[in-house]
Amino acid sequence: MKFALSTLSTAVLTVTLMGLTASALASANENNTGAQNEVTSVTVTQIVDADNQSLAQDASTTNNITPANPEQQRKLTPLIDPITRKRIDNSYPLEVSSLLSLEQAQRILLQVSPKIAANQAAIAASEYQTDALKTIDNPLLFARVSASAYNLDADVDLSTLKNNIVNDVNTSVDDVIPSIPPPLELPNFGELVGERIPDSYELKRSGSTAGAGLGVVWPIYTAGRTTALTAASNARTQEAVADSLLDTNELYDTLIERYFKAQLAIIAAYLREDAYDTLQQTDHMAQRLFEEGFISRVDRLEAQSALADAKSESVNANNDARLAMMALQRLLRTDYRIKPTTPLFVSSRPLPDVTYFQELALSNHPGLQKVAAKRAQAEQLHALSDTGYKPTVMLYGYGQIEKDPSWVAGISASWKLWGGIDKTASLASSHAKIRQADLSEIEVSDNLLLLVEKNWHDVNNAQSRYQALQSNVDLAAEVLRLRQLGLQEGVNTPIDVVQAQTQSLKAHTEQAQAANSYVQSLAALMQSCGTPLAFNAYLNAADIRLPTLYTE
């Protein structure tokens, strides 16, 4: 069966979570922690084709998760999501068996979850923003090229200028030349000059200009603003990583919940089917005894009613199993049912002390990592606010590229004297955010310690509950055997067998439910510790495993 992976190739996430350190589980924990520390590509998976399920079952004996074809794996193509029917770019096909163990399902979940892919894209975006800020105080070199054409067509009014010149000439002549008698009177020099000056002049010019130059600006001192901005962006990246870990841990917990709920539903359906088969035999024997006159008509009708109820319960249980498998199928984004092969389990060994798990939670839970990232952002905001009145020093220069170039170079320093953001209020705000982060860390730690202790007690309660129910299972099985023999000997009635069968079914179902409670409580404990994959170590070390319908 084929399904496809859509990859955002640039976004990667390193997940580092601690596993168990108890001596009994140390080696298993090493393996699981190593698996959790892998660098995982960002992927969104969808089914593009599903072959016959019998073929998938045959393929499960060889390799459950393999690329459909190495060439296809390298070549990314658009594919269609099987659930939403939306187009997903940059995808490649992968072959997956319908028979999956829990560990295989966990690996597939990392590749197919849109939420994980979206989170890793957010991490990549934040990392790129940080990289972009790292060069903010590098020299900035720029080039300028210009080309222009002009055309000037204008009439210049010279009348005022002409009048002024005429008046100035006449005045100057009167001052320099003494008065001459009328017979020798000189000409009017102002008028002679004015006649040569037009009243207006038509100006026409056209042409083009071109120029080029290089400039540089280099901030050599920014009072730590660049460092603060880069560090704040890096802290936002760490917050995005913590959010991704929270979502990933939640998805692991959801997977375990749906995986083992499907397993429980399959067991319940099997038990109901087995009870129905047994009651069919009881009904057949009741019919013979009724025909021979050993039981009354009421007893016969009671046997028939019990058979009809058993058939109805069997059908309902099968439908519940299909629904549980459908929920698992949707989580893994396939268009065929996933058949779980890892059985429900219980460990008879006691858990380590609760303080061990509490220490794990304080060291590994991504909720505390998120609070730490928030505090780092507040610290960098404080550092940025503290630079408000410090100068910014820059070197600058510009030169023209021509035959006889002109250039300018220098250094400048600028200070904020007044206005803009209030430094005092900004510092107070950052102080308050730091205090908020510190108090949030205390609150989150307290809640985590309480949650870990609750989950630890839940695991222990489920363990003791399962062990206590074993005696009920043994008793119910023995009573059912005796009632069936008694019916054959005529000592017991069909209703006695039905009641014994019902009690046996109840005992087995309750024990399976207790095993599922143990598994779910253990998964919740591991998630509250921030080490969800450590669950696999307890699974592998478990000494009690319930039957499973599907095997690899």
Side-chain angles (χ1 to χ4, degrees), residues 214-441:
L214 289 176
V216 62
V217 177
W218 186 0
I220 58 175
Y221 177 72
T222 58
R225 296 182 185 91
T226 301
T227 302
L229 286 172
T230 305
S233 180
N234 188 62
R236 284 195 294 271
T237 300
Q238 297 306 314
E239 182 182 0
V241 171
D243 286 334
S244 179
L245 285 175
L246 285 169
D247 288 339
T248 301
N249 292 357
E250 183 180 350
L251 282 171
Y252 277 135
D253 189 62
T254 302
L255 174 63
I256 290 175
E257 177 186 2
R258 295 191 184 184
Y259 189 94
F260 287 105
K261 274 189 175 180
Q263 195 68 275
L264 176 63
I266 291 170
I267 291 176
Y270 175 80
L271 291 173
R272 290 290 181 182
E273 187 68 26
D274 184 64
Y276 177 64
D277 292 341
T278 301
L279 288 178
Q280 279 184 313
Q281 299 174 9
T282 303
D283 181 74
H284 179 69
M285 185 171 294
Q287 179 64 27
R288 288 177 51 193
L289 293 174
F290 175 70
E291 292 173 352
E292 295 173 3
F294 288 102
I295 61 173
S296 66
R297 179 172 177 79
V298 173
D299 292 333
R300 177 68 190 100
L301 291 175
E302 287 179 342
Q304 289 179 334
S305 176
L307 181 63
D309 289 343
K311 182 177 181 180
S312 174
E313 293 295 336
S314 178
V315 171
N316 291 341
N318 276 295
N319 290 335
D320 290 342
R322 289 193 191 94
L323 181 60
M325 294 173 72
M326 178 67 72
L328 180 60
Q329 168 188 335
R330 287 299 179 90
L331 184 62
L332 297 179
R333 309 194 72 75
T334 69
D335 59 358
Y336 52 85
R337 289 195 183 93
I338 296 299
K339 301 171 184 176
T341 61
T342 300
L344 286 164
F345 66 92
V346 176
S347 176
S348 61
R349 291 190 277 275
L351 289 173
D353 189 72
V354 66
T355 56
Y356 163 73
F357 296 103
Q358 290 175 332
E359 291 173 0
L360 273 182
L362 294 178
S363 302
N364 297 283
H365 199 279
L368 292 174
Q369 297 174 24
K370 181 173 182 177
V371 172
K374 287 286 191 183
R375 192 184 197 284
Q377 292 178 51
E379 289 175 344
Q380 297 308 319
L381 177 62
H382 179 78
L384 184 62
S385 300
D386 200 31
T387 65
Y389 294 107
K390 295 180 181 179
T392 299
V393 182
M394 293 191 300
L395 297 176
Y396 64 90
Y398 182 79
Q400 293 180 333
I401 303 175
E402 55 187 31
K403 184 177 180 180
D404 296 319
S406 299
W407 59 272
V408 62
I411 183 171
S412 69
S414 60
W415 287 263
K416 171 189 169 183
L417 299 180
W418 183 83
I421 298 176
D422 189 329
K423 177 183 175 182
T424 303
S426 181
L427 288 174
S429 172
S430 58
H431 273 302
K433 286 186 176 295
I434 292 174
R435 177 173 173 79
Q436 177 189 12
D438 291 338
L439 295 176
S440 297
E441 182 180 8

Side-chain angles (χ1 to χ4, degrees), residues 537-550:
Y538 287 95
L539 186 158
N540 295 329
D543 54 346
I544 302 173
R545 295 173 182 267
L546 274 65
T548 179
L549 181 62
Y550 303 110

Side-chain angles (χ1 to χ4, degrees), residues 17 36 106 248-249 252 256 526-527 530-536:
L17 296 175
Q36 198 163 1
Q106 288 169 336
T248 301
N249 292 357
Y252 277 135
I256 290 175
M526 294 301 103
Q527 184 191 12
T531 57
L533 290 184
F535 175 90
N536 297 345

